[in-house]
Amino acid sequence: MATIIDGKLIAQQVRSALKEEIAYLRDKKGLQPGLAVVLVGNDPASQVYVRNKKRACEEVGIASFAHELVAGTTQKELLALVERLNRDPAVHGILVQLPLPDQIDETRILNAIAPDKDADGFHPVNVGRLATGTPVFRPCTPWGVMELLRASGVDPAGRHAVVVGRSNIVGKPVALMLLAAHATVTICHSRTPDLAVQVGRADILVAAVGKPRMIAGDWIKPGATVIDVGINRLPDGKLCGDVDFEAARQRAAAITPVPGGVGPMTIAMLLKNTVEAAKRSRGLVA
Ligand code: NAP
Ligand code: L37
């Protein structure tokens, strides 16, 4: 029976440490870290995530500036807001919650965020830094996955990691981070034949697909570590991951639950990036 990796608890520990650091920055350096969170439209999941992010900021002492724009917002209007936030000295981190409505070109918006305020790590400059092994702001969900592994005592070096999903926000960056941590990495996607065979080779499995319980328990290699990034809402309103949790926990050595796994870590790492951005704005980091 697998150990449950408690993302809620590990995220709480990250936030506690940050809270102390932020108090120090405020009291001793006169620096108040600030995060601008931009939400366009009324996607219900995004509304929940943005609310959780604002609450987490308050808990640790980060000033949060919420910008909730109507679904019909134009690209020009959103670009103007991003440019204003780029110039605002109280804002150290900027996050534009994805997905954006169809009339807005996501790439255009992400490219407009100042790379030194890019709390999500999605700007091409930061993606390039990650890809070349000199990361500054790491994408929050993949970084959260790496922290869960570290906190669970799982060192990827020399292990076979299998990532299911190749999105720019999860699959691709988590594969780069596992590679940097010296894993042998396989990336699977919708054109991968015989997914079960690939999954069965994983010492570390990261599932980031968005399909409820699509990874069967008996695909999992006995003793594997399973990190389930998927967040899917079932018809009964409950959340579940991409992995069949009850079956997988019979074979895995360790597994993350949904909710209470990767989700809370995503937010904790966002707060870390914001504090990092604030410190960098003052030259407080190397
Ligand atoms: P996405 O952009 O939709 O990407 C999904 C990936 O899964 C794609 O690469 C797709 O392949 C692949 N895929 C789809 N069907 C597949 C199949 N049958 N077999 C193998 N691969 C398949 O999703 P995302 O943004 O990466 O998010 C993935 C999941 O993570 C979602 O449930 C999302 O809600 C969740 N999420 C959670 C957090 C968190 O903090 N916990 C953060 C972000 C996202 P192709 O590239 O070939 O289409
Ligand atoms: N900036 N963040 C940004 N851009 C994006 O495009 N998708 C995405 C993104 N992701 C994101 O915000 N993810 C996320 C996922 C889950 C949580 C927070 C953020 C979260 O709080 N999860 C909780 C509970 C979720 C719930 O009750 O619905 C959990 O325990 O998993």
Side-chain angles (χ1 to χ4, degrees):
M1 202 62 151
T3 303
I4 308 296
I5 301 174
D6 187 345
K8 217 171 144 177
L9 179 70
I10 298 165
Q12 176 59 58
Q13 291 163 352
V14 173
R15 291 200 301 275
S16 299
L18 272 176
K19 192 172 176 168
E20 280 185 31
E21 186 178 10
I22 292 163
Y24 163 83
L25 291 171
R26 207 186 311 108
D27 299 346
K28 303 283 189 253
K29 302 281 174 186
L31 175 60
Q32 167 64 66
L35 175 69
V37 179
V38 181
L39 174 64
V40 185
N42 30 37
D43 177 70
S46 289
Q47 285 173 329
V48 171
Y49 302 158
V50 164
R51 200 186 315 133
N52 290 351
K53 289 172 186 184
K54 278 192 291 196
R55 191 186 309 135
C57 282
E58 283 157 25
E59 184 201 327
V60 300
I62 292 174
S64 79
F65 306 96
H67 295 269
E68 303 194 357
L69 310 180
V70 295
T73 300
T74 65
Q75 175 159 300
K76 207 169 152 213
E77 286 166 334
L78 183 54
L79 276 173
L81 172 60
V82 167
E83 276 154 21
R84 186 153 63 79
L85 297 171
N86 281 345
R87 289 189 303 267
D88 185 340
V91 171
H92 302 103
I94 301 170
L95 173 153
V96 177
Q97 184 73 22
L98 305 180
L100 290 168
D102 290 344
Q103 74 274 15
I104 297 175
D105 177 355
E106 233 159 63
T107 307
R108 274 291 297 280
I109 301 302
L110 297 181
N111 290 8
I113 295 172
D116 56 353
K117 294 192 176 188
D118 180 26
D120 255 343
F122 292 161
H123 188 284
V125 164
N126 288 314
V127 177
R129 287 168 169 162
L130 176 66
T132 52
T134 53
V136 173
F137 301 113
R138 283 159 246 229
C140 304
T141 300
W143 194 14
V145 169
M146 300 306 289
E147 278 300 303
L148 286 175
L149 292 174
R150 202 179 57 82
S152 315
V154 178
D155 181 359
R159 317 291 292 281
H160 191 154
V162 175
V163 178
V164 190
R166 56 171 162 179
S167 71
N168 287 332
I169 75 170
V170 189
K172 219 183 284 175
V174 85
L176 287 171
M177 289 182 200
L178 287 161
L179 187 61
H182 312 296
T184 300
V185 182
T186 299
I187 307 175
C188 304
H189 46 75
S190 66
R191 312 285 184 95
T192 300
D194 214 345
L195 185 62
V197 169
Q198 299 303 334
V199 167
R201 299 167 65 208
D203 301 312
I204 297 168
L205 176 69
V206 179
V209 181
K211 297 209 152 75
R213 300 184 183 130
M214 65 107 51
I215 293 173
D218 62 5
W219 296 3
I220 309 282
K221 178 172 172 176
T225 299
V226 177
I227 309 290
D228 191 350
V229 181
I231 298 184
N232 307 290
R233 196 162 290 278
L234 296 169
D236 67 3
K238 293 205 179 100
L239 295 181
C240 82
D242 292 341
V243 177
D244 182 347
F245 179 84
E246 285 306 328
R249 68 188 294 201
Q250 310 295 327
R251 289 168 76 99
I255 186 167
T256 60
V258 178
V262 177
M265 292 302 290
T266 293
I267 298 183
M269 304 330 274
L270 169 69
L271 305 175
K272 263 178 101 84
N273 272 342
T274 303
V275 171
E276 177 74 13
K279 288 182 355 193
R280 289 175 68 92
S281 77
R282 287 282 193 86
L284 295 174
V285 277

